[in-house]
Amino acid sequence: MKAESYSIPQLVADLRQIRAQLKDEREILHAVRPIARRAALARDTWLEKRMYQADEQQGFGVHLLHEEPDHTLAVLALSWLPHRGTPPHDHGTWAVVAGVEGPEKNEFFERSDDRSRAGHADLRKVGQKVCGTGDVLAMPNGVIHSVWNESDAVSVSLHIYGKHINHTGRSQFDLEKKTETPFVVRVAH
Ligand SMILES: [Fe+2]
């Protein structure tokens, strides 16, 4: 069976409609989930070779497919180098991630400190989920997770955020050092 076509402009039109109609974050996530999966499964419509390119230093590649002028409704393709990933981080906004190619291991964390010391953060692992093609992860604002590509090939996933993650003041966490620092990613041009 041939996968249906679903372009990034179509996805963005649907995202705009969802945002116009829904204000509650839970309802937004519920509505974005199926269209993220639809876009992931329709990858032949929009996925380009260049989107497999990743930043060696960073461990992954960030390819911006869309953002509104005020940085909201950001759509990105992320490519993950084999056996690389991210430290635990939050997003500063809601996030929906759909697997496009290859499995990505997500580990979820909760803070066990009282947030009274700036820059200090103690995390404990609370779960994990491996996302393959078409699997969707919907994360409310505040969720902390790490992503790891355990496979021997580059993996790709489609990420939709309420706001571009470099404009939310979000954080990354160091589990051993117990620190919280700003997390800004390098976007491919
Ligand atoms: Fe993330």
Side-chain angles (χ1 to χ4, degrees):
M1 197 178 81
K2 195 180 175 297
E4 67 161 341
S5 91
Y6 188 47
S7 68
I8 298 304
Q10 283 176 302
L11 170 67
V12 170
D14 288 342
L15 288 170
R16 285 177 178 152
Q17 202 174 359
I18 287 166
R19 187 171 61 170
Q21 288 170 351
L22 304 174
K23 295 295 164 228
D24 179 71
E25 185 189 64
R26 223 180 40 188
E27 290 180 14
I28 291 171
L29 289 174
H30 187 74
V32 173
R33 206 178 236 288
I35 60 172
R37 176 175 159 82
R38 190 176 165 197
L41 295 177
R43 65 185 181 194
D44 290 351
T45 316
W46 57 267
L47 187 60
E48 297 171 29
K49 242 194 190 123
R50 65 179 173 89
M51 295 172 196
Y52 286 84
Q53 283 169 14
D55 186 312
E56 270 293 338
Q57 211 183 338
Q58 186 164 245
F60 55 92
V62 181
H63 308 271
L64 181 65
L65 306 183
H66 175 80
E67 70 178 315
E68 301 285 46
D70 63 356
H71 306 299
T72 57
L73 300 185
V75 181
L76 303 100
L78 265 76
S79 52
W80 304 85
L81 289 170
H83 308 286
R84 299 287 296 276
T86 66
H89 62 268
D90 60 18
H91 304 105
T93 181
W94 57 261
V96 177
V97 179
V100 172
E101 191 169 320
E104 290 162 9
K105 184 170 117 180
N106 286 261
E107 292 189 306
F108 299 94
F109 302 88
E110 270 176 13
R111 289 185 68 152
S112 49
D113 64 298
D114 62 6
R115 298 172 192 246
S116 62
R117 273 167 59 198
H120 172 83
D122 205 356
L123 302 189
R124 64 162 181 263
K125 188 182 161 185
V126 292
Q128 73 173 56
K129 185 186 175 185
V130 177
C131 278
T133 304
D135 289 337
V136 180
L137 209 56
M139 294 174 276
N141 189 4
V143 165
I144 300 172
H145 76 143
S146 63
V147 183
W148 201 260
N149 176 7
E150 291 182 310
S151 79
D152 295 326
V154 171
S155 68
V156 178
S157 46
L158 181 69
H159 296 233
I160 305 170
Y161 300 102
K163 192 172 185 182
H164 191 305
I165 41 174
N166 280 355
H167 297 275
T168 61
R170 54 85 168 256
S171 299
Q172 62 183 321
F173 302 91
D174 187 308
L175 290 176
E176 274 83 48
K177 293 180 186 157
K178 300 186 193 300
T179 55
E180 175 182 14
T181 53
F183 190 24
V184 173
V185 295
R186 265 193 306 280
V187 181
H189 293 289

